[in-house]
Each structure stands twice: as C-alpha cells, then as structure tokens.
Amino acid sequence: MSRRALASLVFLVLAACSPGAPAESAASGPQAADSGRREVAVFAGGCFWSVEANFERIPGVVEAVSGFAGGRAANPTYDQVVRGGTGHLEAVQVTFDPARISYRQLVDRFWRTIDPTDPDGQFCDQGASYATAVFASPAQKPAAEASRRAAVARIGAARFVTPVRDAARFWPAEAYHQDFARLNPARYAGYSRFCGRAARLRAVWGEAA
C-alpha cells in the first residue's frame, strides 16, 4: 500500500468524525470570454489528485483529467501503475483556452505546485510512478524548456531534477480518481495535511509557492 493510500484510510475515518473542509474554489474576479479554442498539455506532479485540483482552479483551464503517461503498457490501471513495472507516471491532461492562458503560463504555474528537487516522488508519495515531468509536444517544447530554465535559475541546477520529456500517450485513470479533491473534500484535505504539501512548497518556493 502506498503512503497516499494509507493516509487516505486514516483520514477517511477522521473525516467521518469532523466537518468536511470546503472544496477548493476557482479563482474569482473578471475573466476573459471563452474563445472556443482548445489546446492540451500534460503534467506529472506526483499525486494526480493534487495536480488536477491545482489546474482546475486556474482561469482559462477548461478541464483537467487524471491519468497516466510515459509508460509502455496500453490502457494501464491504477493498481498496475502503483505496483510498478509499467513505466507510467501519474499525470494530468489539461485542456485550456490559449486565448485566456498560454502554455508557458501553465508550465510556470506548474513548477510552483511541486517539489522539483525530489527525484523519488512527491511529498509522502514516493516511488517511480510519483516522479515529476512536463510532457511537451515538439511545438510546446521551446516554451517548456524556457520555463524550466527560469525555474532552475531560482532553485539551482544541482537541485532541480524535474525534466521536460517528449509528449507521450495519455491514458485516463478510473472514474473514482476524477475530480477527487472536489468530490471528497474532507478526505483530500486530510491527505494533503498528512503529506505536508503546503509546508514543503513554502520551503522550496517561499512566497512564490
């Protein structure tokens, strides 16, 4: 059992005894009209519950889907991926309106939601499937690499381990993983506190976290 699964079981019990935490809300304020244009980006940032929740709050993001990328097996299941051997990372496919937010802006935001100095996973989720990466198409790669260079300049090249990888086939995860933070706010809040996400992000990024 992964640490995330153990944390989820612990806090599922706690959540039954305490009021549920509110779901993370979308950013407020004036927003540009939807242009109807759509582009897709894929990010691996450890637990896909967290990556999905972070992107869904960004104006201009139309949809975020939890799944897997970068592996060898076709149509992998969650159990197969976390057991290891498929080569997949937990990932999120982000559909966005490029008239409202650019791909470069999405990558810039992504760095601040992960610990790019951890080569073995993220927070309490450790293991090959929780490694981090930006999966970029040939058209996206220049912007992704430029964003990475800017982030490396802040963190330091010796510490920054998250790569920009070539785009790979994305496979959606099972339905019960989709919109997990929104549909299970108390359980997700418990998991996030258990993992110490906020404290670690502040330690890495400071006020930019």
Side-chain angles (χ1 to χ4, degrees), residues 129-157:
S129 65
Y130 297 115
T132 55
V134 175
F135 290 95
S137 69
Q140 293 170 337
K141 187 160 281 190
E145 294 283 11
S147 176
R148 186 181 189 278
R149 287 193 295 271
V152 167
R154 182 182 180 110
I155 299 297

Side-chain angles (χ1 to χ4, degrees), residues 1 12 14 19 25 45 49 54 72 113 115 120 122 135 137 139 146 166 169 174 182 186 198-199:
M1 178 180 290
L12 182 61
L14 294 179
S25 60
W49 297 344
N54 288 328
R72 298 173 295 278
T113 66
D115 175 4
D120 300 316
Q122 287 290 285
F135 290 95
S137 69
D166 291 339
R169 175 70 182 268
E174 294 87 342
R182 180 175 62 82

Side-chain angles (χ1 to χ4, degrees), residues 121-200:
Q122 287 290 285
F123 314 106
C124 66
D125 296 311
Q126 297 293 298
S129 65
Y130 297 115
T132 55
V134 175
F135 290 95
S137 69
Q140 293 170 337
K141 187 160 281 190
E145 294 283 11
S147 176
R148 186 181 189 278
R149 287 193 295 271
V152 167
R154 182 182 180 110
I155 299 297
R159 299 177 59 213
F160 200 103
V161 298
T162 302
V164 173
R165 294 176 52 175
D166 291 339
R169 175 70 182 268
F170 176 83
W171 302 93
E174 294 87 342
Y176 68 90
H177 283 299
Q178 307 302 331
D179 292 313
F180 188 90
R182 180 175 62 82
L183 298 175
N184 304 273
R187 186 175 172 189
Y188 177 75
Y191 153 72
S192 187
R193 288 194 300 270
F194 178 88
C195 280
R197 291 182 58 84
R200 181 58 188 159

Side-chain angles (χ1 to χ4, degrees), residues 35-176:
S35 72
R37 296 168 56 197
R38 298 291 182 264
E39 293 184 11
V40 173
V42 177
F43 301 92
C47 167
F48 48 31
W49 297 344
S50 300
V51 179
E52 181 191 73
N54 288 328
F55 276 111
E56 285 182 336
R57 293 185 295 127
I58 299 175
V61 169
V62 177
E63 182 183 37
V65 177
S66 290
F68 315 102
R72 298 173 295 278
N75 198 27
T77 66
Y78 175 76
D79 288 342
Q80 288 173 328
V81 171
V82 297
R83 277 201 307 268
T86 70
H88 290 90
L89 307 184
E90 288 199 13
V92 170
Q93 184 182 75
V94 179
T95 301
F96 64 100
D97 180 350
R100 299 178 64 198
I101 187 166
S102 70
Y103 176 74
R104 169 64 189 267
Q105 288 173 316
L106 287 176
V107 183
D108 288 345
R109 292 285 291 270
F110 170 68
W111 302 126
R112 269 63 176 180
T113 66
I114 66 168
D115 175 4
T117 71
D118 187 346
D120 300 316
Q122 287 290 285
F123 314 106
C124 66
D125 296 311
Q126 297 293 298
S129 65
Y130 297 115
T132 55
V134 175
F135 290 95
S137 69
Q140 293 170 337
K141 187 160 281 190
E145 294 283 11
S147 176
R148 186 181 189 278
R149 287 193 295 271
V152 167
R154 182 182 180 110
I155 299 297
R159 299 177 59 213
F160 200 103
V161 298
T162 302
V164 173
R165 294 176 52 175
D166 291 339
R169 175 70 182 268
F170 176 83
W171 302 93
E174 294 87 342
Y176 68 90

